[in-house]
Amino acid sequence: MELESDSNGGYCNRCRSWHGLPWKAAWASCQKLMADLRHHDRIDFMRPVAQADPLYRTAPLFTVGSGKMLGLLLCRDAHGVERRLLAFSGMFNGLWLADGWVPPVFDVQAFLRLHVPVERQIKELGAQIAGLPPSAPERRELITERRELSRHNMVVIHKLYQLRNFRGDTQPLTSFFPPQSGPPAGAGDCCGPKLLHQAQRLGLWPLSMAEFYWGGNNASASKEHGRRYPPCTSKCRPILGFQLCGL
């Protein structure tokens, strides 16, 4: 298949080559998705209005700096039927899951069991630090303790991210980034990795993928509402080449 320029993908260390997906077919389907978002003003538009959850309203995305990347992957199932998968980057209004949208690449319940108690400890340390004078030795010790707790928590959380490709190989998220720095914040939570991970889990064959920004322009003005953007270079491209291997 001939790939369009700036297609979705990355370099695969196993094959020593670039693996990518075209975007134009998915972008045509994104136009329908954007029409649904404009009409319903919520991402859970698959539900009847009476069952709509206010947490999934899109209005909060239109304050400055609050927009979000959304993605769509066109796939083919084992019977040759075309299907589409939808994803939002990171969380939506503090939620990992939404009806009709793919889940994160990790088990959400396992994440909550590990993260919530540590997050509570970090907040408690923050409150203690705020109540101490800047020069207090105890304050410096608590800051160090909070930093180490946060660092260890990220190491534990990253172990939950186990990515599979279309050869059936599995690699942890940490294997795609330098060990001295580790994965950057949000790595593995963008639309592309989530879409391909779910397609692999469901036995679907990816055909085309596109991502766009929805909401108020971000603080740096690098993203505009309704525009298509390729996967980010620092967080996604190191992962996508592996994920697409085997197609």
Side-chain angles (χ1 to χ4, degrees):
M1 178 185 296
E2 184 180 352
L3 299 182
E4 298 117 356
S5 61
D6 80 345
S7 62
N8 315 281
Y11 182 77
C12 175
N13 287 322
R14 182 189 188 282
C15 302
R16 305 294 182 192
S17 61
W18 177 277
H19 298 317
L21 284 175
W23 57 266
K24 289 183 179 177
W27 184 238
S29 193
C30 283
Q31 307 306 311
K32 173 64 168 61
L33 172 59
M34 286 189 269
D36 286 332
L37 294 170
R38 282 190 292 267
H39 177 73
H40 296 281
D41 296 321
R42 56 190 175 95
I43 65 167
D44 62 341
F45 54 81
M46 299 82 171
R47 291 180 172 185
V49 174
Q51 298 176 19
D53 189 329
L55 290 175
Y56 295 118
R57 292 175 60 247
T58 55
L61 299 179
F62 288 86
T63 57
V64 176
S66 298
K68 182 164 288 291
M69 290 296 296
L70 305 178
L72 185 150
L73 178 67
L74 291 180
C75 307
R76 186 174 60 242
D77 67 17
H79 304 289
V81 177
E82 187 173 281
R83 292 179 55 182
R84 75 173 192 176
L85 299 178
L86 308 179
F88 51 80
S89 62
M91 305 173 80
F92 194 96
N93 198 21
L95 301 170
W96 286 110
L97 301 172
D99 284 353
W101 298 75
V102 304
V105 303
F106 54 83
D107 180 275
V108 174
Q109 293 306 312
F111 171 87
L112 294 175
R113 285 195 300 270
L114 292 169
H115 179 66
V116 171
V118 178
E119 185 180 36
R120 191 179 302 120
Q121 286 180 266
I122 290 171
K123 288 181 177 178
E124 290 171 357
L125 288 170
Q128 294 177 48
I129 291 166
L132 294 170
S135 59
E138 185 185 358
R139 187 176 191 272
R140 291 194 294 271
E141 292 172 5
L142 289 174
I143 289 174
T144 300
E145 182 182 350
R146 183 177 63 177
R147 182 170 57 246
E148 286 302 306
L149 189 61
S150 297
R151 185 195 63 79
H152 178 70
N153 185 47
M154 288 309 303
V155 171
V156 172
I157 294 302
H158 283 152
K159 289 181 180 178
L160 296 177
Y161 289 71
Q162 299 290 323
L163 298 160
R164 289 176 61 85
N165 65 14
F166 290 87
R167 292 184 185 275
D169 303 327
T170 302
Q171 285 195 25
L173 178 68
T174 50
S175 68
F176 303 107
F177 302 95
Q180 62 271 24
S181 62
D189 295 329
C190 296
C191 298
K194 290 169 72 171
L195 288 165
L196 292 174
H197 185 79
Q198 184 70 351
Q200 200 279 341
R201 284 184 65 249
L202 298 177
L204 302 175
W205 200 253
L207 303 172
S208 177
M209 184 168 70
E211 300 178 41
F212 61 93
Y213 186 78
W214 197 254
N217 294 356
N218 63 345
S220 63
S222 61
K223 287 188 170 62
E224 299 178 12
H225 173 64
R227 289 195 60 182
R228 185 187 68 84
Y229 293 92
C232 51
T233 302
S234 61
K235 292 187 289 188
C236 292
R237 292 237 164 117
I239 302 171
L240 295 178
F242 166 78
Q243 286 187 290
L244 288 165
C245 188
L247 283 181

